[in-house]
Amino acid sequence: MMATTHAFAGMALALPVLATAPEFAPAAFVAGLVGGLVPDLDLYAGHRKTLHYPVYAPIAAVLAVAMALLAPSTATVALAVGLAAAALHAVTDVAGGGLELRPWLAGSERAVYSHYHGRWIRPRRWIRYDGAPEDLALAGFVAAPLIAAGDGPIGTVTIALLGVSTVYVLLRKPLATVAERLAGLVPPPLHPYLPERYRGA
């Protein structure tokens, strides 16, 4: 799924905080946004493996949520929402396509690496690939309550990210060709540092 879809899902986890403890909501929304995006920082260093933990992250999130419920504070609530967003990201990546330059071709059977099981979890392809039309539909569905509930910065950020998502969906397939051509310009000594899906370019 798109990074923005993960960001919206992470921010949506802050909606219960807004409803029950609004004083913690600003930190919770920021934590949800950051937690939803952080796993993809491994894009160029073992993508969907280095920072994706589909088993361990949910366990950490449950413990953090328990701590936030027992001792609510800005820090504990933000930690809980941030870890829950990161866990949700890792788990929901299984619903998408595999790790390949053109995931709509469905050639890869690697969705997310499970450190607990010591193997890759296969992609379910309910969202065929990041940037698919159904990915945008999901992003819009998750963004709607954020726009409705988030007057001010939350609504503005959500609308802006939804605009970015729409442009990305329109350009998704041509971008694969652009990336392939750019990867082909990389000097051979640097090829080991390219993500695996670009090395054949």
Side-chain angles (χ1 to χ4, degrees), residues 4-5 7-19 25 29 136-159 162:
T4 50
T5 306
F8 294 145
M11 292 168 69
L13 295 176
L15 289 172
V17 177
L18 178 64
F29 278 113
L136 182 60
L138 178 61
F141 178 77
V142 178
L146 293 169
I147 294 168
D151 57 338
I154 301 302
T156 302
V157 168
T158 303
I159 291 169
L162 202 52

Side-chain angles (χ1 to χ4, degrees), residues 54-66:
V55 175
Y56 294 130
I59 294 170
V62 167
L63 294 174
V65 168

Side-chain angles (χ1 to χ4, degrees), residues 86 98 111 160 166:
T166 303

Side-chain angles (χ1 to χ4, degrees), residues 179-194 198 201:
E180 187 175 51
R181 289 178 180 168
L182 290 175
L185 299 175
V186 173
L190 298 178
H191 283 186
Y193 301 100
L194 289 172
Y198 297 127

Side-chain angles (χ1 to χ4, degrees), residues 3-187:
T4 50
T5 306
H6 290 303
F8 294 145
M11 292 168 69
L13 295 176
L15 289 172
V17 177
L18 178 64
T20 59
E23 65 274 22
F24 301 135
F29 278 113
V30 172
L33 173 65
V34 172
L37 293 174
V38 160
D40 276 344
L41 292 179
D42 67 10
L43 187 63
Y44 294 100
H47 188 39
R48 296 195 191 167
K49 181 176 182 181
T50 306
L51 295 177
H52 287 63
Y53 294 90
V55 175
Y56 294 130
I59 294 170
V62 167
L63 294 174
V65 168
M67 184 170 65
L69 291 172
L70 292 171
S73 69
T74 300
T76 59
V77 170
L79 179 65
V81 173
L83 285 176
L88 183 61
H89 180 138
V91 170
T92 55
D93 266 345
V94 175
L99 280 176
E100 53 195 311
L101 187 58
R102 294 177 174 84
W104 49 88
L105 299 178
S108 172
E109 287 303 308
R110 296 188 304 169
V112 181
Y113 188 81
S114 170
H115 296 81
Y116 175 78
H117 296 98
R119 62 175 173 80
W120 286 91
I121 301 171
R122 69 176 182 82
R124 301 303 192 266
R125 297 188 174 90
W126 299 327
I127 304 290
R128 292 170 298 154
Y129 57 91
D130 68 297
E134 61 269 24
D135 194 357
L136 182 60
L138 178 61
F141 178 77
V142 178
L146 293 169
I147 294 168
D151 57 338
I154 301 302
T156 302
V157 168
T158 303
I159 291 169
L161 290 177
L162 202 52
V164 170
S165 303
T166 303
V167 172
Y168 179 73
V169 169
L170 292 172
L171 299 177
R172 176 61 179 98
K173 290 188 177 182
L175 280 173
T177 301
V178 171
E180 187 175 51
R181 289 178 180 168
L182 290 175
L185 299 175
V186 173

